Amino acid sequence: MIKIVSLKKIYPLKKGQGYPALNGINLEVERGEFVAICGPSGCGKSTLLNILGFLDFPSEGGYFFKGKDVSHLNDDERTGLRKRVGFVFQSFNLLPRFSAIENVSLPLLYCGYRRKEALKIGEEFIEKVGLRDKSGNSMLELSGGERQRVGLARALSINPEMLLADEPTGNLDSKNSIEIMQILKELNSISKMTVIMVTHDLKLAQMCNRIIKIKDGLLEL
């Protein structure tokens, strides 16, 4: 599903110099894999995830998605591909005064669904993450673990081909972290959805099918 070849991401610095966040990555991820990308802060793992999710683009090298070279698409083309990817963030990225169901339904409205249909689909995914009785609660009324479940339901509502999670348990306690990981693992097992997760927690990473380690912008072999 994913193949990246000699991929580099260089951020410009002063005096014409650049900082290589990724320094020549080669990687393949098959459809249906559950992969953890691990490494210390600043190693390039979130940069890699952003490129995989079409939020950023490489400075050099190739990125092939389902056999197509998507390394240097324009903004409109990348926006179209992002509709096939679900995102889960450490900081949730939810609208605080909106209800759970409104947050989950919002991406569907952007995709052209009518409000009634979007809410119906949203309810289905709220139920899948175990929050049926709290669908009308605002984010201010939910715990961190519950908010992350809402974030997960929102990511799944668009029926993505690939789910990308950037430190999805980073703001959660150990109990809620395990529960979120179990939901991700079950989702991957039942639906065969490709899941790629960035984490610094090796214990949680061991719940995935494969662990990829990054250090200083390079894969550790």
Side-chain angles (χ1 to χ4, degrees):
M1 185 174 193
I2 288 172
K3 181 178 182 179
I4 55 178
V5 182
S6 302
L7 188 142
K8 294 185 179 182
K9 181 63 183 181
I10 301 171
Y11 292 106
L13 299 175
K14 294 181 179 179
K15 299 181 180 180
Q17 297 178 333
Y19 167 70
L22 297 173
N23 201 18
I25 299 287
N26 293 286
L27 175 66
E28 292 190 34
V29 177
E30 300 294 336
R31 180 182 297 277
E33 279 199 90
F34 187 5
V35 177
I37 300 175
C38 297
S41 296
C43 71
K45 55 187 186 296
S46 290
T47 298
L48 176 58
L49 201 74
N50 286 340
I51 291 174
L52 294 179
F54 312 107
L55 297 174
D56 204 349
F57 50 88
S59 303
E60 299 178 24
Y63 172 23
F64 297 85
F65 181 72
K66 299 179 66 176
K68 179 181 178 181
D69 188 352
V70 294
S71 308
H72 300 287
L73 301 179
N74 61 38
D75 289 343
D76 288 341
E77 290 169 327
R78 290 208 308 274
T79 297
L81 283 172
R82 280 198 293 272
K83 294 179 181 179
R84 297 155 72 177
V85 181
F87 295 92
V88 182
F89 303 95
Q90 175 180 353
S91 57
F92 314 132
N93 285 17
L94 300 166
L95 298 175
R97 299 190 182 279
F98 276 42
S99 68
I101 185 61
E102 288 171 330
N103 270 286
V104 173
S105 302
L106 196 57
L108 295 166
L109 296 175
Y110 288 138
C111 289
Y113 285 81
R114 294 180 181 274
R115 178 176 173 80
K116 184 177 180 180
E117 186 178 7
L119 290 172
K120 182 180 179 181
I121 295 172
E123 285 284 3
E124 293 175 6
F125 285 95
I126 284 287
E127 186 170 355
K128 283 186 178 181
V129 298
L131 290 178
R132 182 179 182 181
D133 59 341
K134 295 191 176 182
S135 65
N137 290 51
S138 75
M139 297 302 96
L140 302 175
E141 299 171 311
L142 300 181
S143 68
E146 289 168 337
R147 293 180 193 182
Q148 193 57 289
R149 287 171 184 255
V150 173
L152 180 55
R154 178 187 59 186
L156 297 175
S157 68
I158 61 171
N159 193 29
E161 297 181 51
M162 177 170 64
L163 183 70
L164 303 180
D166 192 357
E167 296 280 6
T169 62
N171 286 330
L172 306 181
D173 59 25
S174 57
K175 179 178 180 295
N176 279 300
S177 294
I178 294 295
E179 289 178 353
I180 290 296
M181 286 299 299
Q182 288 173 338
I183 292 174
L184 289 173
K185 193 169 182 66
E186 182 179 353
L187 169 71
N188 170 257
S189 176
I190 294 174
S191 70
K192 306 302 180 184
M193 182 183 298
T194 305
V195 181
I196 303 176
M197 178 186 76
V198 159
T199 183
H200 64 275
D201 191 329
L202 277 174
K203 184 179 292 187
L204 293 178
Q206 288 169 358
M207 297 179 67
C208 301
N209 302 127
R210 180 157 64 113
I211 299 175
I212 297 166
K213 295 182 180 180
I214 297 182
K215 184 177 182 181
D216 299 329
L218 289 167
L219 295 188
E220 284 192 298
L221 302 178

